[in-house]
Amino acid sequence: MLWQLTERHEEDCCAVRGRQGKDRPYVYCESTSFQTDPRESRGDGDYHRQDSKLNRPEELPWDVVDRCLLPVLTAHAVAVILAFVLNTLRISQVSSWTLFFWFTSITLATLWFYHNLHVTAAGKAVLVTGADNRLGQIIVRQLDELGFTVFAGMRSPSCPEAGRLKEQCSGRLHVVQLDVTSEKDILAARDYVVGNLPQGSEGLWAVVNNEQWAAFGEVEWVPLPVFREATEVNLLGTIRVSQVFLPLVRKVKGRVVNVVSILGHMTAPLQAPYCTAKYAVEAFSDCLRAEMRRWGVDVVVVEPGDYTTGKLWYDDSKMLQQAKDMWEAMPDEARQDYGEHYFEYTVRRTLEPYTKGTDTDMAPVTRSLQDAVCRTFPLQRYTAVTRAEKIRALVLNHLPRSVHDVLYP
């Protein structure tokens, strides 16, 4: 099996050295049950040089585009209609392009002014769940540097990550034990937050639901407890934390920020447990946003791209152990139908881009999270994704579903 391979076996069987693309052709190696690209087997020098320099598509913050696109399109439509009316009634011979220029200039100037308004951090408190993961560590440090009082929720306050945060942050940081699947921890965390709010503060400015749990595998392989764990952490934990802390958020007309993923907006093979839970978090966020509007509370969704999601939540050793557990739990009939060759190749293909690929740039995601907390008028959704993912999301949102299904089968 894949998790039993030794270095000697990998040397004997032309192990996969590059990041295996999902659609790259492959052949079975005789001495093992995983596969490799035939270009690699024939020693194609150009292929190796290209593969060694291959970089993942860059993920970008699209907040300015998202904020300006619809107003600019509206300005264009208004300019065309108004020019037609004025010319038809012979009131003026102004062109639609002239009107479009002026409408767009005024619109963009107004948007830019509101886009750059920030709240004052002094005297405001923020709760961040999942502060012991990589993304949580970064956003906690950034918010602390901006002057917020940060409550960093961790499963274990005695973990090494907690010690590092205490060393790197100011005295405003509070490390709180918070397992989002534990009702006792959630209620205790609320009581602690209430008792340690900044002087003069009546509530909590923001709740950042950042706790994540990822799993992979085809649906038929994944045991039900894995789906249940993904649901309890990613969905039910987000819901319960939001329920408990909403009264504090409503008092100061703050905001709830849910870290989701682009996989909560579009599906990907082999990630059904994660996609299922994140789709539900998207729906929960939309419902909560509609309900909280009357209270002046913003509900913001931050969607990192697929690659960033994998680099953040996939761990090589944990995923290989999960693969072993899945294989042992599969019925004999399923094992025979899929076979070890296909199973092991799929495991390697799934993990390699995330565990062996180049490190991801966290700046677009952390900037989106910081904007979600700090902007006076935040967007409803921040998508720190690649160009290809953004185009696919636009197709999915604004064109008939049949068009998306043809372009992305």
Side-chain angles (χ1 to χ4, degrees):
M1 294 300 291
L2 176 66
W3 46 84
Q4 296 172 331
L5 290 176
T6 63
E7 293 182 1
R8 180 176 55 81
H9 287 147
E10 294 188 9
E11 292 174 357
D12 292 340
C13 68
C14 56
V16 179
R17 298 182 183 88
R19 287 190 295 277
Q20 196 79 0
K22 292 184 179 180
D23 298 321
R24 282 165 58 178
Y26 58 88
V27 295
Y28 289 113
C29 293
E30 293 295 333
S31 57
T32 65
S33 53
F34 64 87
Q35 301 132 352
T36 182
D37 194 302
R39 294 174 294 176
E40 204 169 17
S41 299
R42 65 173 179 261
D44 191 329
D46 292 337
Y47 163 69
H48 283 292
R49 283 192 295 272
Q50 292 175 3
D51 192 56
S52 64
K53 297 179 181 178
L54 183 62
N55 292 319
R56 300 290 303 186
E58 183 182 6
E59 293 177 348
L60 305 168
W62 297 89
D63 52 315
V64 176
V65 175
D66 291 335
R67 192 180 289 275
C68 296
L69 181 60
L70 183 58
V72 169
L73 293 177
T74 303
H76 180 263
V78 172
V80 171
I81 295 172
L82 184 58
F84 174 78
V85 172
L86 293 176
N87 292 332
T88 301
L89 298 178
R90 300 183 182 277
I91 298 174
S92 173
Q93 296 301 312
V94 65
S95 69
S96 60
W97 287 109
T98 300
L99 292 175
F100 175 60
F101 172 78
W102 286 109
F103 288 167
T104 301
S105 299
I106 295 172
T107 299
L108 291 179
T110 304
L111 288 174
W112 193 249
F113 172 75
Y114 282 102
H115 178 73
N116 285 289
L117 291 178
H118 291 75
V119 300
T120 302
K124 289 184 172 61
V126 178
L127 171 69
V128 180
T129 67
D132 44 1
N133 63 48
R134 183 181 172 193
L135 180 58
Q137 295 263 300
I138 296 174
I139 193 61
V140 165
R141 287 197 298 267
Q142 288 184 347
L143 293 176
D144 179 76
E145 290 173 0
L146 291 172
F148 288 97
T149 297
V150 183
F151 296 92
M154 300 184 178
R155 288 179 178 247
S156 174
S158 59
C159 65
E161 291 80 4
R164 284 197 295 269
L165 278 181
K166 291 177 181 178
E167 293 176 358
Q168 298 168 354
C169 296
S170 69
R172 294 186 303 274
L173 173 70
H174 299 265
V175 175
V176 183
Q177 179 169 334
L178 181 54
D179 179 354
V180 299
T181 63
S182 169
E183 181 75 7
K184 179 182 177 181
D185 278 7
I186 295 174
L187 296 178
R190 181 200 55 192
D191 294 339
Y192 181 86
V193 168
V194 170
N196 291 274
L197 288 172
Q199 186 176 4
S201 177
E202 298 180 354
L204 198 58
W205 172 249
V207 173
V208 180
N209 286 306
N210 177 58
E211 187 69 83
Q212 311 284 325
W213 191 84
F216 78 99
E218 295 194 12
V219 173
E220 194 173 357
W221 305 350
V222 181
L224 186 60
V226 174
F227 278 95
R228 185 175 291 116
E229 179 75 9
T231 302
E232 288 179 352
V233 175
N234 296 316
L235 174 60
L236 298 181
T238 297
I239 293 174
R240 188 55 183 148
V241 169
S242 300
Q243 286 179 328
V244 169
F245 287 93
L246 268 175
L248 294 175
V249 175
R250 284 194 289 104
K251 286 182 179 180
V252 295
K253 296 185 178 181
R255 56 201 54 180
V256 176
V257 181
N258 292 330
V259 181
V260 191
S261 168
I262 196 63
L263 297 180
H265 203 55
M266 59 183 75
T267 57
L270 303 168
Q271 301 187 61
Y274 192 73
C275 290
T276 302
K278 289 304 181 180
Y279 260 76
V281 175
E282 289 273 4
F284 166 73
S285 301
D286 290 342
C287 293
L288 184 62
R289 183 181 301 114
E291 295 169 358
M292 290 293 105
R293 188 171 292 119
R294 65 187 289 261
W295 297 98
V297 173
D298 293 306
V299 178
V300 184
V301 169
V302 176
E303 297 176 345
D306 177 30
Y307 186 62
T308 297
T309 298
K311 292 293 288 185
L312 285 173
W313 315 130
Y314 285 167
D315 177 84
D316 201 352
S317 59
K318 291 180 180 179
M319 293 297 106
L320 289 177
Q321 182 60 43
Q322 188 182 101
K324 178 181 179 181
D325 295 340
M326 281 193 299
W327 178 257
E328 293 177 350
M330 285 172 63
D332 292 338
E333 182 181 359
R335 291 192 198 182
Q336 294 174 0
D337 290 342
Y338 284 100
E340 290 186 18
H341 287 43
Y342 177 79
F343 181 84
E344 293 178 10
Y345 167 70
T346 303
V347 170
R348 181 175 290 279
R349 184 188 67 180
T350 301
L351 291 182
E352 251 187 358
Y354 306 119
T355 60
K356 306 299 182 186
T358 56
D359 201 9
T360 184
D361 181 12
M362 299 292 296
V365 182
T366 56
R367 171 183 160 180
S368 297
L369 274 169
Q370 185 174 313
D371 285 357
V373 174
C374 299
R375 299 282 186 189
T376 304
F377 301 99
L379 293 170
Q380 294 181 357
R381 177 172 283 103
Y382 289 86
T383 51
V385 297
T386 64
R387 292 181 179 88
E389 289 171 331
K390 187 63 176 180
I391 292 172
R392 183 179 176 184
L394 290 173
V395 171
L396 185 62
N397 290 335
H398 302 292
L399 295 179
R401 184 57 186 254
S402 57
V403 175
H404 173 270
D405 293 342
V406 170
L407 296 176
Y408 302 95

